[in-house]
């Protein structure tokens, strides 16, 4: 069989102060804490239909433990394991329940050093009765959640000193499709924007030009409904004195953005609105060059390149 990925599922992040980071992720941004297991908090966005999309663990320093991808079916997990091992990639099996709410999984390092996890099964939401929406196709009642809370996980931006190699591997070995790409004026590739499911982006792979760097996570993006939500979120961050790293609209993906960072761990969340979906099997990637626009942001600017390594 040909194994398949279905979508981006979650990120597992590390922080030097769990309580301090939860004041950002839960209290300020509005993620819901689903479960606490020792030094790990499991969180989800308010309209997600799975146990968690963030696992936040207290550790000696900030880091990224892994990025989780859901497979299309259970059989894809051993099939991917066999494929990866045939390439000389070491695969670690993770028992069901070791990561709360999740079934059996595999973890491995990609050829350029990103930490990935593949799983298929994950528990469905079971919020307290007083928090539930009366709509069966909705998780929480809007009146019981933080008004700026994001809806669902959208994409990750991954920085890599071997970005071209990594993007090619995602396509050839994991079946990702390219939605857009951006080349510098000299013809070198700055960024490749890929998806496993038809979303405009699930993995934005960016060339890290800095010397002596390791692969890293720049941000994890979550969807909100409207552009007004970005301004409401900006207002809420200002009230709390939380850094904002820019607001505007990307040229690539047409996504409207607001970037904010946890002051404790440095992990960045993007509030994201707009963009598009690609269901056309004959899609031709959108090609950008450095001379197309004066800046990669159509409106606004990103003010920090800070990112967190594995």
């Amino acid at each position: 069989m040909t194994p398949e990925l279905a979508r981006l599922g979650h990120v597992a992040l590390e922080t030097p102060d769990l309580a301090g980071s939860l004041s950002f992720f839960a209290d300020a941004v509005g993620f819901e804490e689903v479960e606490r297991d020792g030094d790990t908090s499991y969180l989800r966005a308010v309209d997600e239909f799975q146990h968690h999309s963030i696992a936040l663990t207290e550790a000696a320093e900030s880091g990224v433990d892994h990025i989780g991808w859901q497979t299309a079916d259970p059989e894809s997990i051993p099939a991917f394991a066999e494929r990866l091992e045939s390439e000389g990639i070491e695969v670690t099996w993770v028992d069901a329940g070791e990561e709360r709410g999740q079934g059996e999984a595999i973890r491995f390092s990609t050829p350029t050093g990103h930490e990935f996890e593949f799983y298929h099964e994950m528990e469905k939401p079971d919020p307290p009765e007083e928090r539930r929406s009366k709509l069966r196709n909705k998780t929480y009642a809007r009146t019981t959640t933080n008004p700026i809370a994001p809806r669902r996980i959208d994409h990750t931006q991954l920085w890599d000193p071997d970005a071209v190699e990594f993007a090619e591997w995602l396509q050839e070995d994991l079946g990702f499709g390219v939605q857009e790409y951006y080349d510098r004026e000299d013809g070198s590739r700055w960024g490749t924007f890929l998806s496993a499911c038809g979303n405009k982006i699930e993995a934005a792979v960016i060339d890290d030009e800095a010397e002596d760097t390791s692969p890293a996570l720049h941000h994890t993006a979550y969807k909100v409904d409207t552009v007004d939500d970005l301004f409401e979120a900006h207002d809420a961050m200002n009230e709390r004195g939380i850094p904002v790293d820019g607001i505007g609209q990307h040229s690539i993906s047409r996504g409207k953005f607001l970037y904010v960072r946890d002051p404790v761990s440095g992990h960045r969340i993007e509030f994201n609105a707009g963009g598009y979906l690609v269901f056309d099997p004959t899609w031709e990637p959108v090609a950008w060059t450095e001379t197309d626009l004066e800046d990669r942001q159509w409106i606004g600017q990103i003010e920090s390149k800070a990112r967190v390594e594995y």
Side-chain angles (χ1 to χ4, degrees), residues 1-6 70-80 104 118-121:
M1 65 167 289
T2 301
E4 291 184 60
L5 292 178
Q70 188 175 31
T71 62
D73 48 58
E75 294 76 22
S76 286
I77 297 175
F80 269 123
E104 187 178 50
F118 291 171
Y119 69 96
H120 179 69
E121 296 179 353

Side-chain angles (χ1 to χ4, degrees), residues 140-174:
Y140 294 92
R142 185 70 180 262
T143 55
T144 68
T145 62
N146 184 321
I148 67 165
R151 296 286 164 257
R152 60 170 176 81
I153 196 168
D154 188 70
H155 68 266
T156 57
Q157 188 177 105
L158 307 175
W159 286 42
D160 196 310
D162 298 307
V164 172
E165 176 188 342
F166 180 44
E168 289 175 349
W169 184 81
L170 289 175
Q171 296 169 70
E172 294 168 4
D173 285 65
L174 302 187

Side-chain angles (χ1 to χ4, degrees), residues 9-11 13 21-36 41-48 50-56 131 139-140 144-155 219-224 237 240 258 260-262 267-272:
H10 63 269
V11 292
L13 308 176
S21 286
L22 284 174
S23 69
F24 170 77
F25 284 93
D27 299 337
V29 176
F31 292 108
E32 296 287 335
E33 186 176 42
V34 178
E35 187 172 355
R36 185 81 64 90
S41 172
Y42 294 93
L43 305 126
R44 66 168 166 252
V46 297
D47 203 21
E48 290 184 320
Q50 64 277 343
H51 183 269
H52 64 274
S53 62
I54 294 179
L56 189 61
R131 303 288 309 284
T139 309
Y140 294 92
T144 68
T145 62
N146 184 321
I148 67 165
R151 296 286 164 257
R152 60 170 176 81
I153 196 168
D154 188 70
H155 68 266
H219 69 265
T220 305
Y222 279 79
K223 291 296 291 184
V224 294
M237 296 304 129
R240 291 175 175 269
L258 170 72
V260 296
R261 273 181 293 152
D262 173 19
H267 289 300
R268 181 185 284 106
I269 294 294
E270 176 188 355
F271 290 81
N272 183 280

Side-chain angles (χ1 to χ4, degrees), residues 262-282:
D262 173 19
V264 173
S265 66
H267 289 300
R268 181 185 284 106
I269 294 294
E270 176 188 355
F271 290 81
N272 183 280
Y276 59 88
L277 298 174
V278 177
F279 299 118
D280 180 0
T282 65

Side-chain angles (χ1 to χ4, degrees), residues 62-245:
S62 297
V64 181
D65 186 75
H66 65 265
I67 297 172
W69 302 87
Q70 188 175 31
T71 62
D73 48 58
E75 294 76 22
S76 286
I77 297 175
F80 269 123
E82 182 178 355
R83 173 183 292 183
L84 293 165
E85 288 173 336
S86 72
E87 298 177 3
I89 295 174
E90 183 178 351
V91 171
T92 300
W93 284 87
V94 180
D95 291 336
E98 183 173 325
E99 183 170 331
R100 293 292 188 176
Q102 181 177 283
E104 187 178 50
I106 57 172
R107 291 181 190 167
F108 61 94
S109 296
T110 71
T112 62
H114 297 272
E115 301 296 328
F116 276 11
E117 176 181 75
F118 291 171
Y119 69 96
H120 179 69
E121 296 179 353
M122 184 173 277
E123 293 177 7
K124 303 304 180 186
D126 186 24
E129 184 67 33
E130 65 275 12
R131 303 288 309 284
R132 295 177 188 170
S133 171
K134 293 180 180 179
L135 291 170
R136 291 185 176 274
N137 55 3
K138 189 177 181 182
T139 309
Y140 294 92
R142 185 70 180 262
T143 55
T144 68
T145 62
N146 184 321
I148 67 165
R151 296 286 164 257
R152 60 170 176 81
I153 196 168
D154 188 70
H155 68 266
T156 57
Q157 188 177 105
L158 307 175
W159 286 42
D160 196 310
D162 298 307
V164 172
E165 176 188 342
F166 180 44
E168 289 175 349
W169 184 81
L170 289 175
Q171 296 169 70
E172 294 168 4
D173 285 65
L174 302 187
F176 279 71
V178 177
Q179 313 291 47
E180 305 190 27
Y181 60 87
Y182 184 102
D183 288 344
R184 301 183 184 92
E185 193 169 0
D186 64 7
S188 63
R189 181 65 47 87
W190 175 78
T192 308
F193 301 83
L194 308 102
S195 176
C197 75
N199 195 9
K200 63 184 184 301
I201 306 169
E202 286 188 291
V205 177
I206 305 301
D207 178 25
D208 194 340
E209 299 171 328
E211 296 181 0
D212 301 323
T213 58
S214 299
L217 175 67
H218 182 269
H219 69 265
T220 305
Y222 279 79
K223 291 296 291 184
V224 294
D225 292 333
T226 70
V227 173
D228 285 347
D229 293 323
L230 303 181
F231 286 91
E232 293 291 344
H234 200 314
D235 181 57
M237 296 304 129
N238 286 348
E239 293 281 2
R240 291 175 175 269
I242 293 173
V244 171
D245 285 345

